PDB file of all heavy atoms in Angstrom:
ATOM      1  N   VAL A 515       7.263  53.552  -3.401  1.00 97.00           N
ATOM      2  CA  VAL A 515       7.416  52.733  -2.196  1.00 97.00           C
ATOM      3  C   VAL A 515       6.618  53.342  -1.054  1.00 97.00           C
ATOM      4  O   VAL A 515       5.879  52.643  -0.340  1.00 97.00           O
ATOM      5  CB  VAL A 515       8.903  52.605  -1.804  1.00 97.00           C
ATOM      6  CG1 VAL A 515       9.042  51.886  -0.456  1.00 97.00           C
ATOM      7  CG2 VAL A 515       9.683  51.852  -2.880  1.00 97.00           C
ATOM      8  N   ASN A 516       6.738  54.649  -0.874  1.00 97.00           N
ATOM      9  CA  ASN A 516       6.068  55.314   0.242  1.00 97.00           C
ATOM     10  C   ASN A 516       4.558  55.341   0.102  1.00 97.00           C
ATOM     11  O   ASN A 516       3.842  55.533   1.096  1.00 97.00           O
ATOM     12  CB  ASN A 516       6.592  56.740   0.401  1.00 97.00           C
ATOM     13  CG  ASN A 516       8.019  56.791   0.920  1.00 97.00           C
ATOM     14  OD1 ASN A 516       8.815  57.610   0.478  1.00 97.00           O
ATOM     15  ND2 ASN A 516       8.362  55.903   1.849  1.00 97.00           N
ATOM     16  N   ALA A 517       4.053  55.132  -1.116  1.00 95.00           N
ATOM     17  CA  ALA A 517       2.606  55.045  -1.285  1.00 95.00           C
ATOM     18  C   ALA A 517       2.033  53.892  -0.475  1.00 95.00           C
ATOM     19  O   ALA A 517       0.886  53.949  -0.019  1.00 95.00           O
ATOM     20  CB  ALA A 517       2.265  54.877  -2.767  1.00 95.00           C
ATOM     21  N   LYS A 518       2.806  52.861  -0.279  1.00 97.00           N
ATOM     22  CA  LYS A 518       2.357  51.714   0.514  1.00 97.00           C
ATOM     23  C   LYS A 518       3.024  51.669   1.880  1.00 97.00           C
ATOM     24  O   LYS A 518       2.470  51.128   2.834  1.00 97.00           O
ATOM     25  CB  LYS A 518       2.639  50.417  -0.244  1.00 97.00           C
ATOM     26  CG  LYS A 518       1.966  49.192   0.364  1.00 97.00           C
ATOM     27  CD  LYS A 518       1.982  48.020  -0.599  1.00 97.00           C
ATOM     28  CE  LYS A 518       1.222  46.830  -0.026  1.00 97.00           C
ATOM     29  NZ  LYS A 518       1.225  45.684  -0.969  1.00 97.00           N
ATOM     30  N   TYR A 519       4.222  52.233   1.954  1.00 98.00           N
ATOM     31  CA  TYR A 519       4.970  52.242   3.223  1.00 98.00           C
ATOM     32  C   TYR A 519       5.318  53.692   3.559  1.00 98.00           C
ATOM     33  O   TYR A 519       6.473  54.115   3.418  1.00 98.00           O
ATOM     34  CB  TYR A 519       6.236  51.385   3.099  1.00 98.00           C
ATOM     35  CG  TYR A 519       5.943  49.931   2.808  1.00 98.00           C
ATOM     36  CD1 TYR A 519       5.863  49.465   1.504  1.00 98.00           C
ATOM     37  CD2 TYR A 519       5.715  49.023   3.848  1.00 98.00           C
ATOM     38  CE1 TYR A 519       5.576  48.140   1.229  1.00 98.00           C
ATOM     39  CE2 TYR A 519       5.433  47.692   3.589  1.00 98.00           C
ATOM     40  CZ  TYR A 519       5.363  47.260   2.277  1.00 98.00           C
ATOM     41  OH  TYR A 519       5.073  45.940   2.008  1.00 98.00           O
ATOM     42  N   PRO A 520       4.331  54.484   3.987  1.00 98.00           N
ATOM     43  CA  PRO A 520       4.528  55.935   4.161  1.00 98.00           C
ATOM     44  C   PRO A 520       5.536  56.303   5.242  1.00 98.00           C
ATOM     45  O   PRO A 520       6.079  57.409   5.216  1.00 98.00           O
ATOM     46  CB  PRO A 520       3.122  56.435   4.507  1.00 98.00           C
ATOM     47  CG  PRO A 520       2.405  55.231   5.058  1.00 98.00           C
ATOM     48  CD  PRO A 520       2.945  54.068   4.288  1.00 98.00           C
ATOM     49  N   ASP A 521       5.784  55.422   6.189  1.00 98.00           N
ATOM     50  CA  ASP A 521       6.664  55.761   7.304  1.00 98.00           C
ATOM     51  C   ASP A 521       8.126  55.396   7.047  1.00 98.00           C
ATOM     52  O   ASP A 521       8.974  55.619   7.916  1.00 98.00           O
ATOM     53  CB  ASP A 521       6.180  55.062   8.585  1.00 98.00           C
ATOM     54  CG  ASP A 521       4.789  55.508   9.005  1.00 98.00           C
ATOM     55  OD1 ASP A 521       4.449  56.682   8.743  1.00 98.00           O
ATOM     56  OD2 ASP A 521       4.049  54.687   9.583  1.00 98.00           O
ATOM     57  N   VAL A 522       8.408  54.830   5.891  1.00 98.00           N
ATOM     58  CA  VAL A 522       9.772  54.398   5.596  1.00 98.00           C
ATOM     59  C   VAL A 522      10.556  55.535   4.948  1.00 98.00           C
ATOM     60  O   VAL A 522      10.212  56.001   3.862  1.00 98.00           O
ATOM     61  CB  VAL A 522       9.768  53.162   4.673  1.00 98.00           C
ATOM     62  CG1 VAL A 522      11.211  52.795   4.290  1.00 98.00           C
ATOM     63  CG2 VAL A 522       9.086  51.989   5.349  1.00 98.00           C
ATOM     64  N   GLU A 523      11.606  55.974   5.617  1.00 98.00           N
ATOM     65  CA  GLU A 523      12.539  56.946   5.047  1.00 98.00           C
ATOM     66  C   GLU A 523      13.724  56.150   4.495  1.00 98.00           C
ATOM     67  O   GLU A 523      14.586  55.706   5.255  1.00 98.00           O
ATOM     68  CB  GLU A 523      12.995  57.943   6.104  1.00 98.00           C
ATOM     69  CG  GLU A 523      13.871  59.043   5.537  1.00 98.00           C
ATOM     70  CD  GLU A 523      14.245  60.091   6.573  1.00 98.00           C
ATOM     71  OE1 GLU A 523      13.598  60.110   7.640  1.00 98.00           O
ATOM     72  OE2 GLU A 523      15.176  60.871   6.297  1.00 98.00           O
ATOM     73  N   ILE A 524      13.723  55.938   3.206  1.00 98.00           N
ATOM     74  CA  ILE A 524      14.662  55.003   2.589  1.00 98.00           C
ATOM     75  C   ILE A 524      16.103  55.480   2.737  1.00 98.00           C
ATOM     76  O   ILE A 524      16.449  56.613   2.380  1.00 98.00           O
ATOM     77  CB  ILE A 524      14.330  54.818   1.093  1.00 98.00           C
ATOM     78  CG1 ILE A 524      12.898  54.291   0.931  1.00 98.00           C
ATOM     79  CG2 ILE A 524      15.323  53.859   0.440  1.00 98.00           C
ATOM     80  CD1 ILE A 524      12.432  54.229  -0.509  1.00 98.00           C
ATOM     81  N   LYS A 525      16.931  54.595   3.281  1.00 98.00           N
ATOM     82  CA  LYS A 525      18.372  54.818   3.333  1.00 98.00           C
ATOM     83  C   LYS A 525      19.000  54.062   2.170  1.00 98.00           C
ATOM     84  O   LYS A 525      18.566  52.967   1.843  1.00 98.00           O
ATOM     85  CB  LYS A 525      18.943  54.322   4.662  1.00 98.00           C
ATOM     86  CG  LYS A 525      18.357  54.999   5.888  1.00 98.00           C
ATOM     87  CD  LYS A 525      18.900  54.376   7.171  1.00 98.00           C
ATOM     88  CE  LYS A 525      18.261  54.996   8.400  1.00 98.00           C
ATOM     89  NZ  LYS A 525      18.757  54.362   9.653  1.00 98.00           N
ATOM     90  N   HIS A 526      20.016  54.623   1.588  1.00 98.00           N
ATOM     91  CA  HIS A 526      20.581  54.042   0.367  1.00 98.00           C
ATOM     92  C   HIS A 526      21.935  53.396   0.635  1.00 98.00           C
ATOM     93  O   HIS A 526      22.913  54.063   0.973  1.00 98.00           O
ATOM     94  CB  HIS A 526      20.679  55.118  -0.712  1.00 98.00           C
ATOM     95  CG  HIS A 526      19.336  55.638  -1.121  1.00 98.00           C
ATOM     96  ND1 HIS A 526      18.475  54.927  -1.933  1.00 98.00           N
ATOM     97  CD2 HIS A 526      18.691  56.792  -0.794  1.00 98.00           C
ATOM     98  CE1 HIS A 526      17.366  55.619  -2.101  1.00 98.00           C
ATOM     99  NE2 HIS A 526      17.463  56.741  -1.423  1.00 98.00           N
ATOM    100  N   PHE A 527      21.953  52.063   0.477  1.00 98.00           N
ATOM    101  CA  PHE A 527      23.130  51.267   0.794  1.00 98.00           C
ATOM    102  C   PHE A 527      23.722  50.533  -0.409  1.00 98.00           C
ATOM    103  O   PHE A 527      24.882  50.132  -0.379  1.00 98.00           O
ATOM    104  CB  PHE A 527      22.777  50.213   1.852  1.00 98.00           C
ATOM    105  CG  PHE A 527      22.360  50.775   3.176  1.00 98.00           C
ATOM    106  CD1 PHE A 527      21.209  50.318   3.808  1.00 98.00           C
ATOM    107  CD2 PHE A 527      23.115  51.750   3.800  1.00 98.00           C
ATOM    108  CE1 PHE A 527      20.830  50.826   5.044  1.00 98.00           C
ATOM    109  CE2 PHE A 527      22.745  52.265   5.039  1.00 98.00           C
ATOM    110  CZ  PHE A 527      21.595  51.793   5.665  1.00 98.00           C
ATOM    111  N   HIS A 528      22.922  50.294  -1.437  1.00 98.00           N
ATOM    112  CA  HIS A 528      23.391  49.470  -2.550  1.00 98.00           C
ATOM    113  C   HIS A 528      24.136  50.299  -3.589  1.00 98.00           C
ATOM    114  O   HIS A 528      23.792  51.449  -3.853  1.00 98.00           O
ATOM    115  CB  HIS A 528      22.214  48.737  -3.206  1.00 98.00           C
ATOM    116  CG  HIS A 528      21.674  47.632  -2.352  1.00 98.00           C
ATOM    117  ND1 HIS A 528      20.592  47.808  -1.522  1.00 98.00           N
ATOM    118  CD2 HIS A 528      22.078  46.340  -2.198  1.00 98.00           C
ATOM    119  CE1 HIS A 528      20.343  46.666  -0.884  1.00 98.00           C
ATOM    120  NE2 HIS A 528      21.232  45.769  -1.278  1.00 98.00           N
TER     121      HIS A 528
END
Side-chain angles (χ1 to χ4, degrees):
V515 173
N516 290 141
K518 191 166 184 180
Y519 298 91
D521 298 328
V522 176
E523 185 176 345
I524 301 173
K525 300 176 183 178
H526 296 284
F527 296 131
H528 288 96

